Amino acid sequence: MTTLICDCNKTMPLDPKGLGAALDETLTVHSTLCRREAGAFEQALKGGDEVLVACTQETRLFGEIASQTPGAQPVHFVNLRETGGWSKDAAKAMPKMAALLAAARLPEPEPVPTVTYKSQGRVLIIGALDRAEALAAQLSDVLDVSIFSTAAGQGGAQERQYPVLTGRIDALKGWLGAFELNWTRTNPIDLDLCTRCNACVQACPEGAIGFDYQIDSNKCKSHRACVKVCSVAGAIDFTRDPESQSENFDLVLDLRDAPAFTQHAHPQGYFHAPQAELPVLIKLRGLVGEFEKPKFFLYKQKLCAHSRNEKTGCNACVDVCSAQAISSEMSRQQIKVNPNLCVGCGACTTVCPSGALTFAYPKAADQGVKLKTMLSTYTRTGGKQGAILFHSQEAGSQLLNQLGRAARVGRAHGVPARVMPVPVWHTASLGLEVWLTAVAYGAGNVWVLVTGEEAPQYLAALRSQMQVAQSILHGLGLAGEHFKVLHVNPQAPQALAELDSLLQAPSAATVKHNASFAIQTDKRATLELAIDHLLQQASPAQEVIALPAGALLGTLAINKDTCTMCLSCVNACPASALQDNPNAPQLKFIEKNCVQCGLCAKTCPESAITLVPQLRLSSQRKEAVVLNEMKPYACVRCSKPFGTLKAIEAMLGKLAGHSMFQGAALERLKMCGDCRVIDIYTDTNETRITDL
C-alpha cells in the first residue's frame, strides 16, 4: 500500500522519517495534494497498489479522481489532522499518528451476508386529513400515497386524489417494504361511496360531521338528517357493523404526536415526523427499489443460555434490544432475531454472557487485529499509557472533528497525543472481553464516547459491564480508572469544552508486558485469554475478586440442607459448568464455564442454588470441584445404590400419608426399579388384572 500524507500550510508537526520507519515505507509530506500536487496522487494510483490518503478533507475529490484513473485500486482514508495533528501536544503525537496509519493500512474486513428490502413506493400517511393531503402532494409524483385520516383539520381537498382510510387503528407492524396496517372501520360513512357533496355536513344539526367525513359519536344525537340527504349516494349507514380491515404498505409517514412504535429504534421505512420536516420527505422519495444492509449478527443456539425445560434463564439480549428485534422461542430453547428489524447496534452481543450472539460487521477478530496493530505500533514507536477512544462513525466523528478545528485556532486543547480515536459502527457493539483485551495489549484507558443517539438501556449496559471490568482490574492490583463512558451532548453549548476536559483524564495503570494473543470468535475464549494475561502481570491481594451483580463470571452457592442431589440443575446448565459423577452421588462445578445465566437456580425444585458473581484467580477456577455430595441409598432388597439418602427420605416423608403408599407399597419406595417389579409380581396379595 502507498501512503500519501498531506499537511496543508504545514499546520502539523509531522515526522516523515519516524512515520516511515513505523510503516516500513519512505514517506513524503505533501502540502497541496488535492490541488497542485494532485499529480502525485494520480501517479500513486497508476502504481497498481492500494492508496492510503492521510486526509479526509477532500475524500469526495480523491474518489472522483480514482474513478477516472484506469486500473486504480481502492483508496483508503485516515484523519490525522483533527484527531491529533491539531492539538496543543501535537509535537508528541508521532506514535499515535503511526498507530492510526498502521491501522488504516489493514485490509478491509471480509464481506458478510446481507438483508434485502424491496419497496414499490406504497406509502401510508397517518394524520389529520388536510396536513396529510398537503404532504401527499409533495410525494405523489414518486410514491403511491394512501392516507389514514385521524382528524379533519381545516378540511381536506374536495376532489378525490388519494385513497382515504378511516376508523380505529388496531395494529401497525413490519418494516421497509413489509408494513401491515390492521384497523377497524367504525365510520357510518362509506368513503368509497361518498361524493364529497357536503350535504351531510350542512344537514347535521349538531355539527358532528367534519370535512374528513367522520361522524363524531359524542356529538351525534341520532337525528339521522344526514341519512336522508344522502339517500341518492347511500354512503351513510348507521346499522353497519364494525369491520376489520388489513392492508400492506412499503413506507409509513406518521404525523401524530405519539408514534405507532414505542421502541427507541423504529423500523426502517417508518418515519415519525409530527412537524413533517423536509429531510424526511427527501428520504421518503428515495426509498423506492431494492435495498441491502449487512446482517449484523451471528447466532449459535447451542451456546445460548436463554431457556431450558420451559424455564427462562438469560434474557439480556431481549431486554437490551432497542428495536424489539429479538424475541423468545422457549419451545425451541432459543431466542429469535428478526434481521429486518435489527439496526446493527450490537448491544445484544455485548450483554450476551455466553457468546451465542456475536457481532459480524465487522467481526470481533477484525476489531482485535485493529486494536492490536494500533497499540503495538504505538508502543513500538515510543508511545506510553495509550488510551483507546471508541466513538460512532457519524456523530462521534463530527464531534472530534469540531474539537480538532477548535484546537487549531486556540480555542481548545484538542485530542491528546496518547488518545487514539477508533470509529465503530455502533458504540454498544463492543464489550467486556474487548475492553480487557485492549488493556492487555497495553492501553491505560478504554473510553466510549456516546452522543445521545444511543438508547438509554445501552448506556446502562455499557456502564454495568465497565463496572465489572474495572472490578477485575482493581482486584488484580491495577490502579486507576481504566474504563469510562464519556457522555457528551453535541447540541449543548459547552459540548466541546466538556469533551476537551474529559479527554485530559490521567492514565490508569498499564501492564508490564503487552499481550500477543488474538481476539477469538468465541467471546468466552477471548475473555479467558485476557484474564490469563492480566493475571500474569498483576499482583492480586486476594484469591477471589467479588464482582457486581449481573456479572457474566461467578460461582454457585449450594444449600446442602435442602439440596437432594436430584441433578436437574446439571441437565439445565447450557455451559457444562455443572456436572455429575456417574460413579457417585456428586455435583461438580467448573467456575470458568459458568455464565451466571441462572437456569440452574430457576430449575432447582428445592431453590437450593444461589448465584455468586466472582472471579477466582487460582487454577482451581478451571478445575471441576465438588459442590455437594451425599451418601448413596441402597436398595433394601438387593443392596444396589439407586438414589441419594436425602432424596429417598424426602420422598418417603412426602408420600407416607398417601393412601396409595401404605404397607408394602411404601416399602417398595425403598427398592430400586428392578426390585419393585419383582416384588409386585411375587406378592400373593397383589391384585392382578387376570383376577378381575
Side-chain angles (χ1 to χ4, degrees), residues 224-306:
R224 301 298 186 261
C226 56
V227 178
K228 295 178 182 178
V229 299
C230 192
S231 58
V232 176
I236 305 178
D237 183 2
F238 282 88
T239 63
R240 185 186 298 115
D241 294 330
E243 184 179 357
S244 297
Q245 301 283 325
S246 178
E247 194 163 342
N248 296 323
F249 300 93
D250 299 313
L251 305 161
V252 177
L253 174 59
D254 195 343
L255 305 177
R256 298 172 296 175
D257 292 333
F261 297 92
T262 57
Q263 65 265 35
H264 182 271
H266 293 158
Q268 296 191 59
Y270 173 83
F271 298 88
H272 178 240
Q275 304 303 320
E277 300 174 355
L278 181 60
V280 173
L281 301 181
I282 295 174
K283 289 180 180 179
L284 279 167
R285 292 176 63 89
L287 289 177
V288 180
E290 188 169 317
F291 307 91
E292 288 185 344
K293 72 173 184 181
K295 185 181 178 182
F296 293 99
F297 62 93
L298 294 173
Y299 177 59
K300 297 180 181 179
Q301 190 272 339
K302 66 179 182 179
L303 299 179
C304 185
H306 172 61

Side-chain angles (χ1 to χ4, degrees), residues 88 96 178 320 378 415 425 496 515:
K88 287 188 177 180
K96 175 173 72 172
V320 82
Y378 178 80
V415 182
W425 178 266
L496 292 183

Side-chain angles (χ1 to χ4, degrees), residues 20-102:
L23 303 177
D24 195 20
E25 181 182 354
T26 301
L27 298 180
T28 301
V29 177
H30 301 271
S31 59
T32 52
L33 189 63
C34 57
R35 299 293 184 268
R36 288 178 299 162
E37 297 176 301
F41 175 66
E42 293 187 67
Q43 191 65 31
L45 291 174
K46 294 177 181 178
D49 292 334
E50 295 186 12
V51 176
L52 171 63
V53 178
C55 178
T56 55
Q57 174 67 38
E58 299 293 344
T59 301
R60 179 178 177 181
L61 174 62
F62 288 129
E64 291 176 353
I65 295 174
S67 66
Q68 298 171 9
T69 303
Q73 296 297 312
V75 182
H76 308 267
F77 299 91
V78 61
N79 185 357
L80 296 184
R81 195 170 66 178
E82 283 85 357
T83 58
W86 286 352
S87 174
K88 287 188 177 180
D89 54 358
K92 300 180 291 184
M94 194 280 286
K96 175 173 72 172
M97 292 183 180
L100 294 176
L101 287 169

Side-chain angles (χ1 to χ4, degrees), residues 2 30 54 71-72 121 144 183 198 248 288 387 419-420 444-445 465 467 502 512 528 536 554 573 591 617 625:
T2 302
H30 301 271
D144 181 8
W183 81 98
N198 295 320
N248 296 323
V288 180
V419 177
M420 289 166 277
N445 302 95
Q465 292 234 336
Q467 188 179 6
L502 289 171
K512 298 176 183 177
E528 289 302 317
Q536 294 172 7
C573 181
E591 182 176 323
L617 304 180
V625 298

Side-chain angles (χ1 to χ4, degrees), residues 303 305 349-358 364 432-434 436-437 465 468 517-532 547 550-555 575 577 589-597 614-615 621-622:
L303 299 179
T349 67
T350 295
V351 300
C352 178
S354 65
L357 276 169
T358 55
L432 178 75
E433 76 285 359
V434 175
L436 288 175
T437 299
Q465 292 234 336
V468 174
F517 67 85
I519 287 183
Q520 307 295 304
T521 301
D522 187 335
K523 176 176 185 171
R524 301 291 296 196
T526 300
L527 186 58
E528 289 302 317
L529 289 170
I531 291 174
D532 286 346
L547 299 179
L552 48 75
L553 299 167
T555 186
F589 177 72
I590 303 176
E591 182 176 323
K592 179 181 75 70
N593 293 350
C594 182
V595 299
Q596 296 281 286
C597 63
Q614 68 171 42
L615 174 62
R621 179 172 173 271
K622 300 181 181 181

